[in-house]
Amino acid sequence: MYRFTLTLAKIVVRLFGKVEVQNKHLLLKNEGYIVTCTHRGWLEIVILGMCIPSPIHFMAKKELFQNKIVGSFLKKINAFPVDRENTSPSSIKKPVKLLKAGEVVGIFPSGTRTAEEVPLKRGAVTISNLAKAPIIPALYVGPRTLKELWNMKKATIIFGEPIYIKTNNKEELTVYTELLNEKTKELEQQI
């Protein structure tokens, strides 16, 4: 289902819009990593999936899975639920297991879609540290809706250098979260 949905998305996006990918050479091969991305709309999820050669396992808020049909579809396209209000060790186990198996995990560190700048949550950094897997920051600039895409608005995805988290200190996780935020802002200046 992931491949089918991705193929359909590629057809639609290429018919109506243009996608530019910058720094694709920074994506890692043969190892698991977290890709973090800005989350201003829902279209960047699709575009991000198109630009990364490996299937992405996206963390998604558990509320999206409450409808059985929608939840079933999301699971078939590699999304898995996370409780944003009550984070527990069980919400970290799944992404850590995926990363250790060499998979790519997609996390939106703002925790929600927003056009405004909000402080990043620590989840991506915590998971990266536990799985000993790097984070590749990404920034999306472009259409947020199908209407904007149909108006031929260009989408751009830019990837940053991998960030390796190595600490045993919980306070340092906050420092790494700030570093991730800085690296993401730097990407915006490069576009």
Side-chain angles (χ1 to χ4, degrees):
M1 182 61 89
Y2 183 92
R3 291 283 177 209
F4 172 76
T5 306
L6 189 59
T7 301
L8 187 62
K10 284 180 182 179
I11 291 168
V12 171
V13 169
R14 289 189 178 136
L15 276 175
F16 298 106
K18 181 182 176 192
V19 178
E20 177 186 4
V21 183
Q22 297 180 15
N23 297 340
K24 192 170 183 174
H25 66 281
L26 296 174
L27 296 176
L28 303 172
K29 295 176 180 75
N30 306 319
E31 70 178 285
Y33 61 89
I34 295 170
V35 61
T36 59
C37 191
T38 51
H39 197 29
R40 297 176 179 140
W42 62 270
L43 202 52
E44 72 262 44
I45 297 168
V46 174
I47 306 278
L48 194 62
M50 290 172 50
C51 296
I52 294 183
S54 302
I56 304 172
H57 300 265
F58 282 105
M59 292 179 80
K61 62 182 180 178
K62 73 173 186 171
E63 292 82 5
L64 294 173
F65 294 82
Q66 289 174 343
N67 177 301
K68 288 184 180 183
I69 295 169
V70 173
S72 174
F73 174 74
L74 289 172
K75 287 177 184 175
K76 287 178 182 175
I77 61 168
N78 296 344
F80 59 94
V82 111
D83 187 346
R84 298 180 305 170
E85 303 302 319
N86 301 308
T87 53
S88 66
S90 63
S91 62
I92 291 175
K93 284 181 187 176
K94 172 110 179 166
V96 168
K97 186 177 177 182
L98 287 165
L99 290 163
K100 287 185 175 184
E103 301 290 338
V104 176
V105 173
I107 299 176
F108 298 100
S110 63
T112 188
R113 280 180 296 179
T114 179
E116 300 170 13
E117 191 174 312
V118 295
L120 301 184
K121 296 186 184 297
R122 213 170 66 175
V125 169
T126 301
I127 293 166
S128 170
N129 190 48
L130 290 171
K132 311 240 181 306
I135 297 173
I136 296 183
L139 179 91
Y140 171 85
V141 176
R144 297 180 192 169
T145 65
L146 281 177
K147 183 178 179 184
E148 288 181 7
L149 182 66
W150 285 329
N151 291 331
M152 302 299 276
K153 191 169 180 186
K154 184 176 90 169
T156 303
I157 290 269
I158 182 170
F159 297 104
E161 296 276 347
I163 300 169
Y164 292 85
I165 314 294
K166 294 178 184 173
T167 184
N168 293 321
N169 184 327
K170 285 187 177 183
E171 286 76 34
E172 284 184 16
L173 292 176
T174 302
V175 174
Y176 278 111
T177 303
E178 290 168 8
L179 175 67
L180 175 59
N181 192 37
E182 287 171 23
K183 295 297 182 185
T184 304
K185 285 180 182 177
E186 287 174 15
L187 293 175
E188 197 159 17
Q189 295 168 2
Q190 294 175 33
I191 292 182

